[in-house]
Amino acid sequence: MNIASFIQPKVEVAYLRDNMALHDGLKKLRGSGYTAIPVIDKEDRYVGVASEGDFLWSIMGHVEYQEEINLHELEDRTVRDIIQGGKIRAVSIDTSMEQLLEHIKQQNFVPVVDDRNVFIGIVTRRDIITYFMKNRPIA
């Protein structure tokens, strides 16, 4: 089975640019309705994933010794500053189903890249589970 049939293409996926201001990235993440989304650079290469927790810990770490959060103080920070590179590794289009299953056990989606590390989309855990539920042998 080829994973290409499971890919939600980049044009249908919420993602952030690594050079976005932190507050813009947070707005886009919130607007997406997801708890984590892929991050790509200006050449569309996959950089990592930004999660709600990444934003929260970054903001809290910045204001640790202050009484209140002032978002204007965070304007010089970018999305790249908060992501944990390598935390969620992307797979290539020719990844086997077995390898994909190993990745999908650990996270809700798996980013997919081409041979130049250009982000082409994601495969979701939901799509994989749905496939196996429809194609399981009847007992």
Side-chain angles (χ1 to χ4, degrees), residues 42-53:
K42 65 181 178 182
E43 283 87 28
D44 290 344
R45 292 179 303 224
Y46 175 74
V47 176
V49 169
S51 70
E52 291 174 332

Side-chain angles (χ1 to χ4, degrees), residues 63-120:
V63 297
E64 186 173 350
Y65 301 107
Q66 298 177 13
E67 292 288 322
E68 59 185 54
I69 296 173
N70 182 346
L71 292 181
H72 294 292
E73 294 175 8
L74 301 173
E75 287 180 354
D76 60 336
R77 310 233 17 235
T78 65
V79 170
R80 184 179 274 282
D81 295 330
I82 68 160
I83 61 172
Q84 300 175 22
K87 185 176 176 183
I88 296 182
R89 293 190 347 252
V91 299
S92 66
I93 190 75
D94 59 352
T95 297
S96 71
M97 265 315 257
E98 290 78 22
Q99 292 170 321
L100 182 64
L101 285 171
E102 283 302 313
H103 284 271
I104 212 74
K105 286 189 321 187
Q106 307 300 322
Q107 57 219 36
N108 291 331
F109 67 90
V110 177
V112 182
V113 296
D114 67 12
D115 58 352
R116 297 171 295 137
N117 200 40
V118 171
F119 176 71
I120 58 175

Side-chain angles (χ1 to χ4, degrees), residues 127-139:
D127 290 339
I128 298 298
I129 291 171
T130 300
Y131 169 79
F132 281 109
M133 293 298 292
K134 287 181 181 176
N135 294 296
R136 68 180 178 190
I138 298 176

Side-chain angles (χ1 to χ4, degrees), residues 49-62:
V49 169
S51 70
E52 291 174 332
D54 295 330
F55 282 96
L56 176 63
W57 288 113
S58 175
I59 292 168
M60 295 307 294
H62 186 76

